[in-house]
C-alpha cells in the first residue's frame, strides 16, 4: 500500500476446476490488512480466454458498494483538515442515508457539500449530489421556509453544472438521475439511469 500510494488492495487468485476457473477476490485495507470484502466467481475457462471483461465488471460492481461504505466510515472519523472533496461527499451521503427527512440533516449535508465545492469547484459528483439533496428537500419539505427560492435555484444550477461535468462518472450520473426524478423529469431521469446500467449492468441490483 505504501509503495503504490493506495488505501486498498485487491488480491486475487485463480484455481482450475475442470473446464471451470474459480476466481477468488479479496478487498483489503492496506494500512491494517483488514479484509473488507471477499467473493468467489466461477467462470468457464473458454470464456475467460476470449475476454475477461465480464468478470472485471462483476468484480467492480461488487466492490463499488463496499468502497462507498468503508470510505464513508473513514471520512466520518478522519481529521477535518485531511478531508478532500471526495470525503466531504461521502460524509454528506452518509448523513442523508441515516436521516434523510429532517431540516437539520439538510443543513448539515448542504454544509458538507459546500466545503467539497470550495476545495474542488469542478467536482461533478458534488454538484450532482447537491442538486439531488435540494430536489429531495423540496419534495419532502425539509427546508426552512425562507430558503424556498434559494433551494429551487440551487437545485437547477447544480443540476446544470453536474450535467456539464458528468461524462462517464457513474456516481455523478446516478445522482443526476435521482435529482431529475425528484424534479419531475422522469423521462430524462430514465435516460440518465439507462446510461448507468449500460456502463454497469450490476447497478440494477
Amino acid at each position: 500500500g505504501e509503495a503504490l500510494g493506495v488505501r486498498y488492495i485487491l488480491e486475487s487468485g485463480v484455481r482450475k476446476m475442470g473446464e471451470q476457473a474459480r476466481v477468488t477476490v479479496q478487498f483489503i485495507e492496506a494500512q491494517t490488512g483488514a479484509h473488507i470484502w471477499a467473493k468467489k466467481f466461477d467462470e468457464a475457462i473458454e470464456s475467460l480466454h476470449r475476454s475477461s471483461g465480464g468478470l472485471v465488471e462483476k468484480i467492480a460492481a461488487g466492490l463499488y458498494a463496499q468502497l462507498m461504505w468503508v470510505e464513508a466510515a473513514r471520512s466520518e472519523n478522519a481529521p477535518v483538515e485531511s478531508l478532500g472533496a471526495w470525503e466531504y461527499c461521502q460524509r454528506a451521503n452518509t448523513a442523508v442515508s441515516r436521516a434523510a427527512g429532517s431540516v437539520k440533516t439538510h443543513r448539515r449535508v448542504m454544509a458538507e457539500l459546500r466545503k467539497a465545492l470550495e476545495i474542488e469547484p469542478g467536482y461533478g459528483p458534488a454538484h450532482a449530489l447537491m442538486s439531488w439533496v435540494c430536489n429531495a428537500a423540496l419534495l419532502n419539505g425539509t427546508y426552512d421556509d425562507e430558503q424556498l427560492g434559494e433551494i429551487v435555484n440551487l437545485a437547477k444550477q447544480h443540476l446544470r453544472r453536474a450535467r456539464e461535468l458528468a461524462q462517464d462518472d457513474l456516481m455523478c450520473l446516478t445522482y443526476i438521475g435521482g435529482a431529475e426524478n425528484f424534479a419531475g423529469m422522469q423521462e430524462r431521469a430514465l435516460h440518465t439511469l439507462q446510461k448507468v446500467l449500460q456502463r454497469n449492468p450490476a447497478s440494477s441490483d
Side-chain angles (χ1 to χ4, degrees), residues 4-129:
L4 295 173
V6 296
R7 286 198 197 91
Y8 309 103
I9 293 172
L10 187 66
E11 181 181 82
S12 65
V14 182
R15 183 161 61 94
K16 184 179 178 182
M17 302 184 302
E19 299 301 314
Q20 294 282 109
R22 171 158 288 180
V23 180
T24 304
V25 180
Q26 297 180 91
F27 187 44
I28 302 167
E29 187 175 31
Q31 187 175 9
T32 64
H35 285 61
I36 298 168
W37 177 78
K39 192 162 184 178
K40 295 175 181 176
F41 299 88
D42 290 334
E43 301 283 329
I45 292 175
E46 185 180 344
S47 68
L48 286 177
H49 280 309
R50 287 197 303 269
S51 172
S52 61
L55 177 59
V56 171
E57 286 184 358
K58 290 178 185 176
I59 293 170
L63 281 177
Y64 183 76
Q66 301 299 323
L67 180 61
M68 291 297 101
W69 285 113
V70 73
E71 278 291 282
R74 187 187 67 80
S75 299
E76 283 286 303
N77 299 314
V80 175
E81 61 272 13
S82 72
L83 300 180
W86 160 264
E87 284 82 10
Y88 276 116
C89 283
Q90 295 311 305
R91 286 163 66 100
N93 192 30
T94 301
V96 170
S97 300
R98 288 177 180 165
S102 75
V103 175
K104 183 178 178 181
T105 298
H106 175 73
R107 287 180 190 149
R108 178 193 164 178
V109 168
M110 294 289 283
E112 302 279 19
L113 293 174
R114 285 192 179 104
K115 288 174 184 174
L117 291 170
E118 283 174 13
I119 294 169
E120 196 171 339
Y123 190 48
H127 286 284
L129 186 50

Side-chain angles (χ1 to χ4, degrees), residues 51-202:
S51 172
S52 61
L55 177 59
V56 171
E57 286 184 358
K58 290 178 185 176
I59 293 170
L63 281 177
Y64 183 76
Q66 301 299 323
L67 180 61
M68 291 297 101
W69 285 113
V70 73
E71 278 291 282
R74 187 187 67 80
S75 299
E76 283 286 303
N77 299 314
V80 175
E81 61 272 13
S82 72
L83 300 180
W86 160 264
E87 284 82 10
Y88 276 116
C89 283
Q90 295 311 305
R91 286 163 66 100
N93 192 30
T94 301
V96 170
S97 300
R98 288 177 180 165
S102 75
V103 175
K104 183 178 178 181
T105 298
H106 175 73
R107 287 180 190 149
R108 178 193 164 178
V109 168
M110 294 289 283
E112 302 279 19
L113 293 174
R114 285 192 179 104
K115 288 174 184 174
L117 291 170
E118 283 174 13
I119 294 169
E120 196 171 339
Y123 190 48
H127 286 284
L129 186 50
M130 181 76 89
S131 181
W132 183 86
V133 167
C134 287
N135 277 295
L138 291 169
L139 189 68
N140 297 321
T142 52
Y143 57 88
D144 294 313
D145 291 342
E146 65 274 13
Q147 288 185 306
L148 177 57
E150 179 190 0
I151 297 296
V152 170
N153 288 330
L154 286 173
K156 292 177 180 177
Q157 291 168 13
H158 286 286
L159 179 56
R160 183 167 58 249
R161 187 67 177 129
R163 285 173 178 156
E164 293 170 356
L165 296 166
Q167 297 183 2
D168 292 328
D169 188 310
L170 297 185
M171 184 168 73
C172 193
L173 289 170
T174 299
Y175 284 124
I176 288 173
E180 290 169 339
N181 183 55
F182 283 148
M185 296 181 278
Q186 278 76 26
E187 190 170 333
R188 188 153 191 173
L190 182 61
H191 177 70
T192 301
L193 294 172
Q194 281 174 340
K195 289 183 183 178
V196 176
L197 292 175
Q198 287 166 3
R199 295 267 304 166
N200 181 10

